[in-house]
Amino acid sequence: MPNDDTSGISFQKRFRTLAFSRSGSGSPGKAAVQDAFDSDRDDDFKLKHVAQLSQDRSLRDRIETLLIAAKEVYRCSSNTVLAILDAAQDLFHASANVDSRKAGFTFLTKTAAIVDLDVSIRAKVFEYICEPADSSCLAGKIKAIDKLTERGTKASVFQPHVTGFVGELLSGCFAAADQSRSEKRSKSSVSEEENNLGTVWTILNNLMTDDFPALDAIHASQLLTRLTTICKRTTAGSDLTRAIAVISTFARCAKVPNEDLDPLINVLCQTLYAREKCRDATQSCLDNVFMTSDSSMAMEVLLRNLSQISDDPASIKELRGSLLQLEHIYRTNGVGAYPGPPLAELVQALKDAATVDHGDRTQNQVTLTLSLNAIASVVKNAAIRQTLIDSDWTCMEGIVDVVARAAGPIPADNISYDDITPASPIFLFARNVEIKDSTVSKEMSRPLQVICRELCGIYPYLSSQKRAVVVNLLLFLSNVVEPAALSVVIDYMEDYRIVFPPDENWLPHLALLTDRGFLKTSKHSSYQLRLMELLSNVYGSISGEPESANSFGQQLEKLVKRTDPRSSLAVFNRLAGLACQILRNARMPTFDLLLAALVGLAVQRTSFDPTFAVLDDRVNTTCIHLTESFLDCLPDQAEKARKICDNLVAIAATSNASTEARLDAIRLLVRLRSHPVNLLEVVEMPDTQGLAATLAEVQPATGPSNGFAQSNKPPLIEETSRSRSDDNAGLRYYGGENASSRPQSVMREQAEGPQNESITPLKTSTTASTSTTTIDLSAWLQLMLHILEKGSQWEIYSYTLIHLPSQLTNVSLFANNIPLIEKLHDLLVYQLQKGKFSEPPTNTDLRKGHVAVCLYQTLTVLIAYSGWFLPQKMTETVHTFLIGISQWSQTVKCCIHALALCCHELPRAIDRCLPLILTKMSQIITQSQFAMDILEFLARLARLPAAYQSIGEEPLRTIFGICIRHLHHSREMRQVAAESANLGSSNSSKRCSNVSGIGAVPSDYSQVVSTDKELPEYVYALAYHDITHWFLAIPIRDRSKHVGWIAKNLAWKDKLGKEIVEEQSQVTLDMMHRTAYLDLGETMRSPIPAADEEYTIKKMYLVGMSIVTMETNSITGLTYVTKRQASGTTNAIYQPCTAPLPAHHVVAPDQATTAGTTSSPLIYPQHVLLQLNSTISPMPIPEQPIVLPDDGTPERAISQIDRIATVDSYKAGVIYVANEQKEEREILANTAGSEAFDAFVAGLGTKVPLQGAAFNTCGLDKLSDADGTHTFAWRDRVAEIVFHVPSMMPNLEHDPQCTNKKMHTGNDYVNIIFNESGSPFRFNTFPSALNFVNIIITPEKITARQPHSRLAENDECEAVETCYFFLVQVLCAPFLPEISPAATPKVVSASALPSYVRQLALNAHLFSVVWSEREQGEELVSSWRSRLREIRKLREKYANTGNSANVGYPEMGTAEDRGGARSYVEGDEWRGTLAMGGLAEQGQFLMSLDFTRWT
């Protein structure tokens, strides 16, 4: 049995060990040890240890026993634990020594850790823990209470004593930790004292739960005192954070005693301001305090902190923390949860805080900023808003005072507010304002803006008195508040009419607004715009009161002078616009002041940061409005307009002005034009797009150009980079804004406006009237000269280059400045001859030649002024153009076009320089892109004999060489096009040209357009035309010298080496054949007398490539010979000079005469043919004439040939457009034109009757006068042009739309428009699919010339000559390429106009026909070629048929000889034998001798 007991005990030990090991914590639950098997052991343990703890044992033994018991106490029963506690109670008391207390706390800690420990034991343990102990035992105490309360989470049985005990521990631990922190060297390490303090903080925080029982006032006060003390003393953020967390939990769970509320709030306010990292937690803590405590008393504490201020740093922190808390309360709308103080008390406290003086400006600013934040929160609080509306606002003056203190000194420009009387509602501001420079910090400006914004929000609900307070406050803050707030000031002054007369302070109020509005301009643009609206309204109300308006103008002048250039562009726009509006009606002194201020603003150069890019934009806007003012004054206020114009010239010439400002002035000045009656006007769009495209090196765009840096376009051509198809295109003054096209005809404005004696329009030249104001443009011209001579910024220089030529076309504008024009001419000649002019910047990708194009264009315009220059200067001009042909590739075209104009205007100069001209053109013969221009020039020159009177043989060879070279090149191009089967695909060059007189003409110089590549057929036709014209231009004595060389070069070889003579070459040879020795002109057939008709024998032959008709009187031998060739018909008479028969002559029977007749013919036509065309020499069969049968077929062919004219037919409409006419119907309805139009039409050709007209009238009725009785036509030996003149055609009653007239002009490829409408002519005015080209003629001016006219060359000059000038421009349909030297407008004199325009029409018609034929897949067939084709048809039908006239004659060789001759066709080879001075075909000798075969 003992063995069994022993075995049982042994199992119990093993089970207990296993249970303990599974518990793992060394603290098994009581159930694990309270079983039937340990009761004996437990009793043994109790007896043993209680005995060893008896007081009769030594202290050391007792301590050791207690420590041993501490290790095993978790196994003991409650009774055992209680017995041990009682036995060792003296070791737990405060009187025990340190070692005893430490051992006791160790045991207590182990005991407290037992789970489910009996409550009585826990109470005893707590009692022993609470016994006072030395600081060395503090750690043991903390561990014990920590285990006992499980970190404060299970301490409800010990309340409320545990909270007080832990509070005591907190004080001791904080002191120990604070000392430890001050002594330790490493801040990174954590001392034991700090760990202990952390444990206590955790316990204390866990004690403060939602079911935390209320402490009595003593314990609560003690705890709060300890916590506030720590908050004041601690230097560790963690302590502060934990303390605030504990206080916050306490305040949430319990009410703070009233006596502790003041110090607690003060400490928290200090922390709130001083410890920014803890600010959120502190504010949350204060919120809890306010929510659970007496909120009214708490609010009183805050307000008291604002009012009772000392120099103590803690007091300052309390003040600022209180402000932060107030700002937080009202910002979060916390005041709605508990009653707030009366508004008056709150405002007064805030005022006291804001006005406190710390003796340091920076500190004062800090407190003031916090005060403003608090005020802003109060004002913004929804619960306060209605109170603000309903209160009497006595307290609000306090806020105004605070705001005034915040705003500080008021900046202004020498503005005094002393003039504002007490009657003014803003007297409060005027009385307290301090004027000097000052700034407001960003921190301060934010709450100020909130205050103003909120007050502005309730402004509509306030009484007038309260509104006045708001306005005064806003005035104090006008340099920091938002624009919307300042707009309230304007609304107030406008609503209450205090800025309008008759208010006694209206002008000071206005000065106040303008002063305040333009201080911090970068922030107040919207306010300034609203102010501009108010100023406009004020001016509108006083514009009829001269004195008030004058005062207003003076005030505005001051405003303009002190305006910050950094103001927004929109503000500058409105301000300058208002100033310009006043300029029109202002008295001259005020006008002068305002004008000077605006000009000063336009040319100012400030000390601002030069990188402030928008500064120039503001200045430019001012300059633009000056131009607007000029346009306003131009119609009827000449003196003002003159002054503005002079100032614009001064701005343009001022180097201090910004480039854009100068350009804005130049933009207007280049648009000045002289009306035909000397009135000054401004055009919408000068014709400058061509040159603009030249400097941009692009084809003109159809929209605005956006950016010089991106596209490398030069600037300043933005107004020229839009398509002329835009009917609303016009000058736009404001970038990005769709302003109306302001520049317009002054004459129309004056005609529409009121007519009275006060209107004084500005003239461009002096008149007899002494009251007329004239404008002197000499300064403007001098500026242009200076820019061209000395150079300038590229923007200004390029703009001048582009626009100067257009303005110079208005000859009358500069008629009084001829010396300067002459100086300009000399300068251009010098610069172009020497190459000494400005080069474009490298970033533009332009070359010097592009600049030269613009200079040459200007020189071309100056040809119109040649009447005022000496003749030798014009020769220099021509030489200068010659330099341009060889110097720069970009200038070749414009120089050729200029020389074309010189042919008409300066024929003598051309004649002198012609050899050199032709040499220069021959030098660029390899550059096919200029072929069309050169050939058109030669065609024009050939029709102007005065321009080549002294031409020699060598220049003529040069001309033919040029034509032949381009002819060869054209053949090559046509052959390539034919082989590629893309003849119709080369229509790639488009035009936007459809409006005359405006800047939408793409330059014919902007890029070299190779028209010969686009349309080689046109170059081909031109080359043959030139050969023909120039061959006929050679004196008849010299023509034969050139035939051989020309004929040799008209033939060419194809790729196979085959020699080819084209149809056009054949007719050219035919022409030379006819005219080489004949210069009599056209011949006509004489009618056969009726009496001779019965004796007339008619015979027709094909002789080579001609048809010869012989009509012979068989009795007399009189023969009428008609030779029809491709190039014409020659009529001649042949008659044998028959001698009388000798007396001894025997008359044959058949020759016997009866009354002068014979019974048989005495002569046949064959005789005449043989006499003129043959001998007995054998004639090769292919050369033998072909007898045409008398069966009617040849007659029909001859009739067809006779219907084909021997010259090419051209036609063109000549349409007169009267003043103000724009519609097609009213234009075509004109039945008469002006005197200038009549003179022009008379110069175009000869007036010829239509009825019975023998020439081709090109569709005009020749029978019934339906198209009028007469028309005008012109003809030379090559071409004939008929002009369709609608004004010479009758208007039919049944045809109100003038369809009959449109039937002619609508089918004309070319229309000449004589435009006197006063408006630019638009291409689509006459819609038609066949109108390809419009030649627009615009009368420019009647101008008095000086004595040395160009007529001096002919010694026909008078002292003064009146002469017209005209602007000629060619517009093409959009699908056509540029084809005319007048694509850019040319100024032409009246004397040269008809021939110049006629040649334009001839070339344009030829081009149009070629283009149209090519579009249809055809080629141009001239009249000569048509005649040649008819002749060839006869040859193909009748040549070499093998028939003989004498086939029945006997014994005439073999049958083959008599009728078997072979047939020949073009291209066959022929071989013959020389015989009897002729050639006989091999085997056909006898046939060659039989002349009867072909007679």
Side-chain angles (χ1 to χ4, degrees):
M1 293 300 296
N3 292 336
D4 293 338
D5 291 340
T6 304
S7 299
I9 294 172
S10 195
F11 172 78
Q12 290 176 359
K13 290 182 178 179
R14 288 197 301 272
F15 177 81
R16 189 179 298 118
T17 302
L18 179 62
F20 291 164
S21 65
R22 287 182 176 177
S23 68
S25 62
S27 302
K30 192 171 182 180
V33 295
Q34 298 295 325
D35 51 52
F37 298 101
D38 11 272
S39 57
D40 294 338
R41 181 178 175 81
D42 182 68
D43 292 340
D44 293 342
F45 184 85
K46 178 175 68 174
L47 293 174
K48 176 182 178 181
H49 287 79
V50 169
Q52 292 176 354
L53 287 172
S54 62
Q55 294 184 3
D56 56 352
R57 294 293 185 96
S58 65
L59 183 60
R60 179 182 295 275
D61 292 340
R62 294 183 69 194
I63 292 175
E64 290 179 357
T65 301
L66 188 60
L67 291 175
I68 293 172
K71 295 179 181 179
E72 301 291 336
V73 70
Y74 66 91
R75 302 185 184 200
C76 301
S77 64
S78 299
N79 292 330
T80 302
V81 173
L82 186 60
I84 294 174
L85 287 174
D86 291 337
Q89 60 179 328
D90 60 314
L91 299 179
F92 304 133
H93 289 167
S95 58
N97 61 21
V98 174
D99 293 335
S100 301
R101 295 301 305 273
K102 288 183 178 181
F105 282 121
T106 300
F107 182 82
L108 292 175
T109 301
K110 294 294 184 179
T111 303
I114 299 175
V115 179
D116 297 332
L117 188 64
D118 188 74
V119 175
S120 60
I121 300 176
R122 288 171 59 85
K124 186 175 289 292
V125 170
F126 177 70
E127 179 184 352
Y128 290 148
I129 293 173
C130 292
E131 285 288 328
D134 186 78
S135 59
S136 60
C137 299
L138 188 60
K141 267 193 172 188
I142 294 172
K143 291 180 181 179
I145 196 66
D146 182 36
K147 290 294 183 181
L148 181 65
T149 63
E150 295 186 17
R151 288 286 174 101
T153 59
K154 294 182 179 181
S156 57
V157 297
F158 309 121
Q159 291 288 17
H161 306 287
V162 67
T163 304
F165 172 70
V166 175
E168 292 177 1
L169 287 179
L170 178 65
S171 297
C173 288
F174 173 74
D178 190 47
Q179 183 174 357
S180 173
R181 290 178 186 133
S182 62
E183 293 176 354
K184 71 177 181 179
R185 296 181 179 179
S186 174
K187 294 184 179 181
S188 60
S189 62
V190 180
S191 64
E192 181 183 3
E193 289 80 2
E194 290 176 299
N195 285 330
N196 292 336
L197 178 60
T199 301
V200 175
W201 279 122
T202 302
I203 296 172
L204 185 59
N205 192 64
N206 290 337
L207 289 174
M208 305 296 172
T209 59
D210 292 337
D211 57 352
F212 174 69
L215 297 177
D216 56 71
I218 296 175
H219 286 90
S221 179
Q222 289 176 349
L223 177 61
L224 292 175
T225 300
R226 291 188 177 100
L227 291 172
T228 55
T229 301
I230 291 174
C231 289
K232 291 179 181 179
R233 290 179 51 192
T234 185
T235 59
S238 58
D239 292 345
L240 193 60
T241 301
R242 289 165 174 170
I244 292 174
V246 172
I247 296 174
S248 180
T249 305
F250 178 89
R252 186 177 67 249
C253 301
K255 178 182 178 180
V256 177
N258 290 344
E259 58 271 17
D260 295 313
L261 198 58
D262 194 338
L264 177 62
I265 290 177
N266 288 340
V267 168
L268 290 176
C269 286
Q270 292 180 36
T271 305
L272 182 64
Y273 172 73
R275 299 298 180 93
E276 187 173 356
K277 292 183 179 180
C278 303
R279 186 160 294 173
D280 291 340
T282 307
Q283 283 182 336
S284 177
C285 180
L286 282 168
D287 288 343
N288 291 334
V289 172
F290 272 73
M291 292 294 294
T292 59
S293 303
D294 189 339
S295 58
S296 299
M297 179 177 289
M299 188 65 74
E300 288 178 4
V301 174
L302 292 180
L303 298 184
R304 188 164 53 250
N305 288 340
L306 303 184
S307 302
Q308 300 176 3
I309 309 299
S310 67
D311 295 335
D312 180 33
S315 177
I316 296 175
K317 293 178 183 179
E318 291 173 4
L319 164 65
R320 294 173 177 172
S322 299
L323 290 171
L324 287 172
Q325 182 60 20
L326 279 174
E327 186 269 337
H328 168 73
I329 289 173
Y330 284 93
R331 175 170 50 82
T332 58
N333 211 22
V335 72
Y338 40 82
L343 181 62
E345 294 182 12
L346 177 61
V347 171
Q348 183 60 45
L350 291 171
K351 177 184 176 182
D352 293 341
T355 55
V356 68
D357 186 5
H358 299 298
D360 180 80
R361 180 181 178 183
T362 302
Q363 295 301 318
N364 291 344
Q365 291 287 327
V366 172
T367 303
L368 180 57
T369 301
L370 294 174
S371 301
L372 290 173
N373 286 327
I375 295 174
S377 296
V378 171
V379 175
K380 192 176 181 180
N381 188 273
I384 301 296
R385 185 174 293 113
Q386 191 59 43
T387 304
L388 283 173
I389 296 174
D390 298 336
S391 65
D392 61 2
W393 275 44
T394 303
C395 61
M396 289 305 292
E397 290 193 6
I399 291 183
V400 175
D401 291 340
V402 172
V403 169
R405 178 181 176 85
I410 302 299
D413 296 330
N414 300 320
I415 300 297
S416 173
Y417 299 107
D418 295 338
D419 296 335
I420 298 179
T421 65
S424 170
I426 59 171
F427 183 69
L428 175 64
F429 165 75
R431 179 189 60 198
N432 296 317
V433 68
E434 179 184 3
I435 302 175
K436 63 181 181 180
D437 291 338
S438 176
T439 57
V440 178
S441 66
K442 293 182 179 179
E443 293 77 9
M444 196 179 297
S445 65
R446 280 192 289 268
L448 290 174
Q449 290 176 0
V450 173
I451 294 170
C452 294
R453 188 187 311 122
E454 295 303 320
L455 291 179
C456 290
I458 64 173
Y459 175 85
Y461 310 103
L462 301 177
S463 64
S464 59
Q465 183 179 5
K466 294 177 181 179
R467 290 182 177 183
V469 175
V470 174
V471 168
N472 279 273
L473 183 143
L474 293 175
L475 287 173
F476 276 112
L477 298 178
S478 58
N479 59 337
V480 295
V481 297
E482 298 171 344
L486 282 178
S487 296
V488 172
V489 178
I490 299 178
D491 293 339
Y492 177 85
M493 293 192 173
E494 187 170 23
D495 293 342
Y496 291 93
R497 310 291 291 179
I498 65 173
V499 288
F500 295 85
D503 188 286
E504 61 177 315
N505 293 300
W506 78 272
L507 198 57
H509 289 164
L510 196 64
L512 171 65
L513 278 181
T514 56
D515 172 39
R516 302 305 299 152
F518 281 80
L519 289 177
K520 297 294 183 181
T521 54
S522 60
K523 297 181 180 180
H524 290 175
S525 60
S526 60
Y527 162 72
Q528 293 168 347
L529 290 174
R530 177 68 180 89
L531 175 59
M532 289 297 98
E533 181 182 351
L534 173 62
L535 292 176
S536 298
N537 294 337
V538 172
Y539 179 71
S541 69
I542 64 174
S543 58
E545 303 174 13
E547 292 300 328
S548 298
N550 195 58
S551 299
F552 182 88
Q554 293 173 359
Q555 181 61 40
L556 193 67
E557 180 265 338
K558 296 177 182 178
L559 176 60
V560 172
K561 289 176 65 176
R562 65 172 174 263
T563 298
D564 188 342
R566 292 172 296 182
S567 298
S568 73
L569 182 60
V571 171
F572 257 68
N573 191 6
R574 296 291 294 273
L575 175 62
L578 179 59
C580 290
Q581 180 185 355
I582 297 173
L583 281 178
R584 177 173 175 81
N585 300 319
R587 297 176 181 175
M588 286 308 296
T590 304
F591 171 88
D592 292 338
L593 288 173
L594 262 178
L595 180 60
L598 287 170
V599 172
L601 189 59
V603 301
Q604 69 173 319
R605 278 324 231 181
T606 65
S607 59
F608 292 114
D609 183 357
T611 62
F612 194 70
V614 296
L615 174 59
D616 284 347
D617 292 335
R618 279 74 173 147
V619 178
N620 302 340
T621 299
T622 306
C623 191
I624 289 174
H625 278 287
L626 278 176
T627 64
E628 289 279 351
S629 185
F630 171 80
L631 296 171
D632 285 337
C633 297
L634 183 58
D636 52 14
Q637 299 192 52
E639 182 60 22
K640 291 182 178 180
R642 183 189 63 77
K643 288 186 176 183
I644 297 174
C645 184
D646 291 344
N647 280 279
L648 287 173
V649 175
I651 291 172
T654 302
S655 58
N656 286 339
S658 69
T659 299
E660 278 299 323
R662 297 178 66 188
L663 281 171
D664 288 332
I666 293 175
R667 284 188 180 99
L668 174 75
L669 294 170
V670 297
R671 287 169 170 79
L672 295 180
R673 298 294 186 272
S674 176
H675 192 273
V677 291
N678 288 334
L679 285 183
L680 192 68
E681 63 181 355
V682 179
V683 297
E684 281 189 16
M685 185 73 68
D687 24 312
T688 57
Q689 174 131 2
L691 290 181
T694 298
L695 290 190
E697 270 294 275
V698 293
Q699 288 293 340
T702 58
S705 154
N706 274 307
F708 177 55
Q710 295 178 354
S711 64
N712 283 337
K713 287 186 182 181
L716 317 176
I717 61 173
E718 68 283 346
E719 69 274 25
T720 65
S721 59
R722 60 176 64 92
S723 170
R724 290 195 300 180
S725 61
D726 179 9
D727 289 346
N728 297 320
L731 178 62
R732 296 172 185 250
Y733 281 109
Y734 310 131
E737 298 183 13
N738 293 325
S740 61
S741 300
R742 187 56 192 273
Q744 49 193 300
S745 170
V746 175
M747 287 300 294
R748 285 198 298 278
E749 286 189 3
Q750 185 175 348
E752 295 169 0
Q755 302 294 320
N756 55 63
E757 296 180 357
S758 64
I759 294 179
T760 55
L762 187 58
K763 295 276 187 174
T764 58
S765 61
T766 57
T767 64
S769 174
T770 57
S771 62
T772 300
T773 302
T774 60
I775 186 170
D776 182 10
L777 293 177
S778 59
W780 168 238
L781 266 180
Q782 288 173 350
L783 173 59
M784 294 297 98
L785 279 167
H786 177 79
I787 292 173
L788 293 179
E789 183 177 6
K790 303 298 183 182
S792 185
Q793 297 100 326
W794 172 245
E795 291 84 355
I796 294 176
Y797 184 75
S798 62
Y799 200 85
T800 303
L801 291 175
I802 291 170
H803 291 83
L804 181 58
S806 174
Q807 189 173 35
L808 289 172
T809 59
N810 189 212
V811 179
S812 56
L813 184 66
F814 300 107
N816 294 331
N817 302 105
I818 296 303
L820 288 174
I821 294 293
E822 189 170 4
K823 185 177 180 181
L824 174 61
H825 171 272
D826 296 343
L827 174 63
L828 293 173
V829 169
Y830 171 79
Q831 288 186 335
L832 289 169
Q833 288 186 355
K834 303 296 184 181
K836 294 184 177 180
F837 50 86
S838 298
E839 297 188 25
T842 56
N843 64 340
T844 61
D845 293 334
L846 299 177
R847 299 293 181 267
K848 199 170 183 179
H850 295 98
V851 177
V853 168
C854 300
L855 296 177
Y856 271 117
Q857 182 68 4
T858 305
L859 187 60
T860 302
V861 174
L862 293 185
I863 295 173
Y865 295 83
S866 59
W868 285 281
F869 302 158
L870 295 175
Q872 54 266 32
K873 285 187 180 292
M874 294 299 95
T875 303
E876 286 297 315
T877 301
V878 173
H879 277 291
T880 305
F881 288 128
L882 291 178
I883 292 174
I885 292 179
S886 58
Q887 187 71 26
W888 301 282
S889 62
Q890 297 89 348
T891 60
V892 176
K893 276 183 174 286
C894 66
C895 290
I896 295 175
H897 294 170
L899 290 173
L901 179 60
C902 292
C903 290
H904 299 267
E905 298 284 3
L906 308 172
R908 292 290 184 85
I910 291 292
D911 186 34
R912 297 187 190 103
C913 302
L914 187 56
L916 186 55
I917 293 173
L918 297 174
T919 301
K920 291 288 186 181
M921 290 185 177
S922 66
Q923 291 171 352
I924 59 172
I925 197 171
T926 57
Q927 302 180 42
S928 60
Q929 64 267 33
F930 306 122
M932 183 191 72
D933 307 284
I934 295 174
L935 293 175
E936 283 189 345
F937 170 81
L938 294 177
R940 182 182 301 274
L941 181 62
R943 288 189 167 107
L944 299 170
Y948 61 87
Q949 290 180 355
S950 58
I951 191 171
E953 186 173 332
E954 191 61 33
L956 284 170
R957 287 199 185 98
T958 303
I959 291 174
F960 290 125
I962 292 172
C963 296
I964 293 296
R965 173 63 183 86
H966 288 303
L967 187 60
H968 287 338
H969 179 73
S970 176
R971 285 170 178 159
E972 294 169 1
M973 295 302 300
R974 294 171 67 220
Q975 186 175 7
V976 170
E979 290 175 355
S980 63
N982 287 328
L983 265 174
S985 64
S986 60
N987 184 14
S988 60
S989 176
K990 305 298 182 183
R991 265 182 53 86
C992 309
S993 169
N994 57 7
V995 182
S996 70
I998 30 180
V1001 187
S1003 174
D1004 42 354
Y1005 321 131
S1006 62
Q1007 61 182 6
V1008 178
V1009 178
S1010 184
T1011 308
D1012 70 302
K1013 293 182 181 179
E1014 295 181 358
L1015 198 63
E1017 296 87 350
Y1018 180 53
V1019 175
Y1020 175 82
L1022 274 177
Y1024 278 115
H1025 273 67
D1026 285 352
I1027 292 173
T1028 301
H1029 284 301
W1030 279 103
F1031 185 81
L1032 295 175
I1034 302 173
I1036 190 171
R1037 63 181 180 273
D1038 297 325
R1039 288 179 188 171
S1040 60
K1041 300 176 182 179
H1042 299 275
V1043 171
W1045 189 87
I1046 296 174
K1048 179 182 66 176
N1049 286 281
L1050 287 178
W1052 64 291
K1053 292 183 180 181
D1054 62 12
K1055 290 185 176 180
L1056 301 176
K1058 182 180 179 181
E1059 290 186 343
I1060 298 175
V1061 180
E1062 301 167 308
E1063 275 190 350
Q1064 194 62 42
S1065 295
Q1066 293 176 34
V1067 298
T1068 303
L1069 288 169
D1070 186 83
M1071 176 274 303
M1072 292 192 294
H1073 186 274
R1074 286 185 62 247
T1075 60
Y1077 302 101
L1078 173 69
D1079 213 9
L1080 292 178
E1082 297 289 333
T1083 61
M1084 62 179 293
R1085 180 181 179 278
S1086 299
I1088 300 175
D1092 295 343
E1093 288 184 358
E1094 63 176 304
Y1095 305 108
T1096 301
I1097 301 174
K1098 182 177 180 181
K1099 204 70 174 177
M1100 294 175 289
Y1101 302 93
L1102 275 174
V1103 181
M1105 298 305 292
S1106 67
I1107 302 174
V1108 177
T1109 301
M1110 292 187 175
E1111 299 171 281
T1112 303
N1113 188 314
S1114 62
I1115 304 300
T1116 64
L1118 179 65
T1119 302
Y1120 296 92
V1121 181
T1122 303
K1123 185 179 183 181
R1124 293 175 174 87
Q1125 297 174 238
S1127 61
T1129 299
T1130 303
N1131 294 278
I1133 297 177
Y1134 174 87
Q1135 185 172 17
C1137 297
T1138 306
L1141 292 176
H1144 56 277
H1145 184 84
V1146 179
V1147 179
D1150 59 348
Q1151 292 180 335
T1153 61
T1154 303
T1157 64
T1158 65
S1159 57
S1160 61
L1162 302 179
I1163 186 172
Y1164 283 89
Q1166 290 89 331
H1167 169 77
V1168 178
L1169 178 64
L1170 290 173
Q1171 296 303 310
L1172 297 178
N1173 198 50
S1174 177
T1175 68
I1176 65 169
S1177 301
M1179 181 177 291
I1181 292 175
E1183 295 183 3
Q1184 294 172 2
I1186 300 170
V1187 182
L1188 296 176
D1190 191 13
D1191 59 0
T1193 301
E1195 282 82 357
R1196 287 191 295 272
I1198 289 173
S1199 176
Q1200 177 64 24
I1201 293 174
D1202 288 342
R1203 281 195 295 269
I1204 301 174
T1206 57
V1207 293
D1208 288 331
S1209 294
Y1210 296 78
K1211 60 179 181 175
V1214 183
I1215 303 172
Y1216 174 72
V1217 184
N1219 187 34
E1220 298 293 336
Q1221 289 184 342
K1222 295 182 179 179
E1223 301 299 327
E1224 178 186 46
R1225 187 199 61 79
E1226 61 179 348
I1227 294 173
L1228 292 178
N1230 290 327
T1231 56
S1234 64
E1235 181 181 350
F1237 173 75
D1238 293 340
F1240 164 69
V1241 176
L1244 280 178
T1246 302
K1247 188 175 183 180
V1248 293
L1250 290 175
Q1251 282 203 26
F1255 60 92
N1256 181 7
T1257 60
C1258 297
L1260 295 177
D1261 180 65
K1262 298 188 287 186
L1263 301 175
S1264 62
D1265 294 338
D1267 296 323
T1269 61
H1270 292 76
T1271 190
F1272 282 87
W1274 178 91
R1275 173 174 175 149
D1276 62 8
R1277 287 181 288 182
V1278 179
E1280 179 181 64
I1281 182 168
V1282 175
F1283 298 102
H1284 295 158
V1285 188
S1287 59
M1288 298 179 69
M1289 303 177 187
N1291 291 331
L1292 305 178
E1293 293 182 1
H1294 64 276
D1295 186 19
Q1297 298 300 321
C1298 300
T1299 306
N1300 186 61
K1301 295 183 178 182
K1302 178 67 180 291
M1303 180 178 63
H1304 297 293
T1305 60
N1307 288 309
D1308 292 336
Y1309 286 123
V1310 180
N1311 279 322
I1312 301 169
I1313 312 297
F1314 199 90
N1315 182 24
E1316 290 188 349
S1317 67
S1319 301
F1321 180 82
R1322 304 192 178 277
F1323 191 90
N1324 57 2
T1325 302
F1326 303 109
S1328 171
L1330 294 178
N1331 285 158
F1332 284 9
V1333 178
N1334 283 343
I1335 302 173
I1336 314 301
I1337 302 171
T1338 305
E1340 196 280 321
K1341 177 74 174 169
I1342 301 176
T1343 305
R1345 287 190 174 178
Q1346 298 303 318
H1348 46 273
S1349 166
R1350 72 168 64 87
L1351 296 178
E1353 297 183 3
N1354 298 326
D1355 298 327
E1356 298 176 4
C1357 175
E1358 299 178 0
V1360 176
E1361 176 193 14
T1362 300
C1363 176
Y1364 278 101
F1365 286 95
F1366 299 86
L1367 203 62
V1368 179
Q1369 182 181 11
V1370 174
L1371 302 181
C1372 294
F1375 53 82
L1376 291 180
E1378 286 294 348
I1379 50 95
S1380 175
T1384 53
K1386 297 294 187 294
V1387 182
V1388 185
S1389 65
S1391 60
L1393 182 68
S1395 62
Y1396 184 75
V1397 172
R1398 182 173 57 244
Q1399 188 60 40
L1400 288 177
L1402 288 169
N1403 289 340
H1405 184 276
L1406 176 61
F1407 178 89
S1408 300
V1409 173
V1410 171
W1411 182 277
S1412 179
E1413 294 291 340
R1414 191 197 68 167
E1415 290 297 298
Q1416 299 174 20
E1418 305 291 340
E1419 64 173 333
L1420 173 64
V1421 178
S1422 66
S1423 60
W1424 289 356
R1425 289 177 65 183
S1426 298
R1427 290 167 63 91
L1428 178 64
R1429 290 181 177 183
E1430 293 297 326
I1431 295 172
R1432 185 178 289 116
K1433 288 179 182 179
L1434 286 177
R1435 287 194 62 84
E1436 291 172 354
K1437 184 172 184 178
Y1438 295 110
N1440 304 309
T1441 60
N1443 297 323
S1444 175
N1446 59 355
V1447 292
Y1449 199 87
E1451 303 300 325
M1452 188 60 182
T1454 64
E1456 182 180 352
D1457 291 334
R1458 292 195 300 271
R1462 60 167 293 189
S1463 297
Y1464 293 93
V1465 297
E1466 292 288 335
D1468 285 352
E1469 292 186 0
W1470 186 89
R1471 296 180 64 185
T1473 303
L1474 183 64
M1476 300 171 57
L1479 288 174
E1481 185 176 356
Q1482 201 168 28
Q1484 298 289 334
F1485 178 70
L1486 296 179
M1487 184 71 70
S1488 300
L1489 295 176
D1490 183 9
F1491 62 85
T1492 61
R1493 292 188 69 260
W1494 45 269
T1495 57

